[in-house]
Amino acid sequence: LEIYVTILNVNDNSPRFLRESLTVVIPEDTKVNAVIVAQEDVTASDADMDTIYYELTTVMGTDGYFAIKGVNNPAIYLQTALDFEKFNVTALALYARDRPVGSSEVTNTATATINVHIEQADTKPPWFQPCSFINTAKSICISSGYTGTVNIYEKPTEPLILQPGPIYAVDPDYLLNEKIVYSIVGGDADNLFSVDADTGNLTMTKAATSLDSYSLQVMATQVNNIQKYSIARVEIKVVGKNNHPPYFENKIYYGTVFVNLVPRSFVFQPGKLSTPLQITAADDDFVNV
């Protein structure tokens, strides 16, 4: 008598990851849809030869940034562009189940933790200081520009004093802190001004000869990448010299008036009743006027 025995597989083994903890380092400028963890690095095995179903969740509140390629494909890819200032480290939990989610059958589960570290990348152009953020993410900061005045016919030997401060820009990718150089790229048709490439100090190459206003365009550029640049407007107004306050030519003036005069009548000089009294002031800035 021949007896055939069929052994039925019982779901008595849990899926197993080759590594239950994995750390990956990715740059901030990783392209959306790029795979950051390959399928083979996070594929689980099952001694029962069951089909494995995967699910990815975030551990540190960074939902929406990472996802898996499919329920049966655990390759992890970037779903949303990264921003180092928002977060630079997170953790993901990858679940491997031998039954679909929601199955009424007994389900065995394995978990792997993926630690993601983000490296700051050179993603932002220089920011002129001071500047104001224009979005809630604080990823764009706009300068209102600079203003200053110069005296006509004078060439200062020191850098010009500007408001709200000297020309200065920073690299917002602060861990990289790339070197920044400055240049005038517009608004100086008369070649009156010069900017120090390293410090941003604005000086004059010659004196202004007319009461004009100049709207300079100053560019701050990263040395390592000329495509990373910003433009600030510098408004310079040429004014008349004003180093001295005005003063009265006499400390005391005496005058004579007649009784019963109507309002707005003249006051006359003492002893010269036909000559109106004149009160005059002078200003040493206008000695030849």
Side-chain angles (χ1 to χ4, degrees):
L1 178 64
E2 292 182 355
I3 300 174
Y4 294 92
V5 179
T6 300
I7 300 174
L8 300 177
N9 189 17
V10 175
N11 186 16
D12 56 354
N13 292 284
S14 295
R16 296 187 61 183
F17 285 103
L18 184 62
R19 287 184 289 176
E20 294 184 351
S21 181
L22 180 67
T23 298
V24 295
V25 180
I26 60 175
E28 179 187 9
D29 57 353
T30 299
K31 300 296 184 182
V32 173
N33 295 323
V35 173
I36 65 166
V37 181
Q39 179 178 357
E40 58 268 21
D41 293 333
V42 284
T43 296
S45 60
D46 189 341
D48 297 321
M49 304 299 292
D50 291 321
T51 299
I52 305 298
Y53 301 88
Y54 297 92
E55 181 185 7
L56 184 71
T57 64
T58 58
V59 178
M60 301 174 65
T62 51
D63 296 336
Y65 282 89
F66 305 96
I68 55 175
K69 286 290 187 178
V71 67
N72 300 122
N73 181 351
I76 301 173
Y77 70 96
L78 182 65
Q79 199 172 30
T80 304
L82 298 170
D83 187 341
F84 184 85
E85 279 67 36
K86 286 186 176 180
F87 68 93
N88 51 58
V89 63
T90 188
L92 310 174
L94 181 64
Y95 299 97
R97 299 182 176 91
D98 55 14
R99 294 292 185 273
V101 175
S103 173
S104 59
E105 298 181 49
V106 175
T107 303
N108 297 308
T109 304
T111 305
T113 300
I114 297 92
N115 299 299
V116 181
H117 294 266
I118 300 168
E119 290 183 333
Q120 190 172 50
D122 191 7
T123 60
K124 297 182 179 68
W127 289 349
F128 281 98
Q129 301 297 301
C131 64
S132 301
F133 292 107
I134 63 171
N135 59 342
T136 55
K138 295 186 176 181
S139 59
I140 302 175
C141 201
I142 301 298
S143 168
S144 59
Y146 305 87
T147 60
T149 60
V150 295
N151 291 331
I152 192 170
Y153 304 126
E154 290 187 356
K155 177 181 175 296
T157 58
E158 298 295 327
L160 301 184
I161 297 176
L162 303 175
Q163 298 297 331
I167 297 172
Y168 177 62
V170 299
D171 182 1
D173 300 312
Y174 56 90
L175 291 182
L176 303 178
N177 195 26
E178 298 291 351
K179 179 177 174 59
I180 294 172
V181 293
Y182 305 89
S183 60
I184 297 174
V185 295
D188 188 21
D190 297 332
N191 295 320
L192 292 180
F193 303 94
S194 175
V195 66
D196 188 284
D198 295 320
T199 66
N201 286 336
L202 186 67
T203 55
M204 296 191 69
T205 59
K206 56 185 177 181
T209 57
S210 60
L211 296 174
D212 293 327
S213 293
Y214 294 86
S215 183
L216 307 178
Q217 296 177 42
V218 176
M219 181 170 68
T221 310
Q222 292 183 192
V223 172
N224 69 320
N225 185 355
I226 194 173
Q227 300 299 323
K228 293 289 191 304
Y229 70 90
S230 293
I231 302 292
R233 191 170 298 279
V234 183
E235 301 287 346
I236 303 296
K237 185 177 182 180
V238 181
V239 298
K241 185 177 180 181
N242 190 20
N243 294 331
H244 302 88
Y247 59 90
F248 289 105
E249 294 183 335
N250 295 313
K251 292 184 177 181
I252 301 176
Y253 289 85
Y254 296 95
T256 300
V257 296
F258 298 99
V259 296
N260 299 322
L261 289 177
V262 297
R264 306 182 68 85
S265 296
F266 282 116
V267 176
F268 296 96
Q269 295 184 19
K272 296 181 180 180
L273 301 181
S274 61
T275 305
L277 177 65
Q278 290 184 328
I279 299 175
T280 57
D283 190 327
D284 289 341
D285 289 323
F286 301 95
V287 293
N288 296 322
V289 178

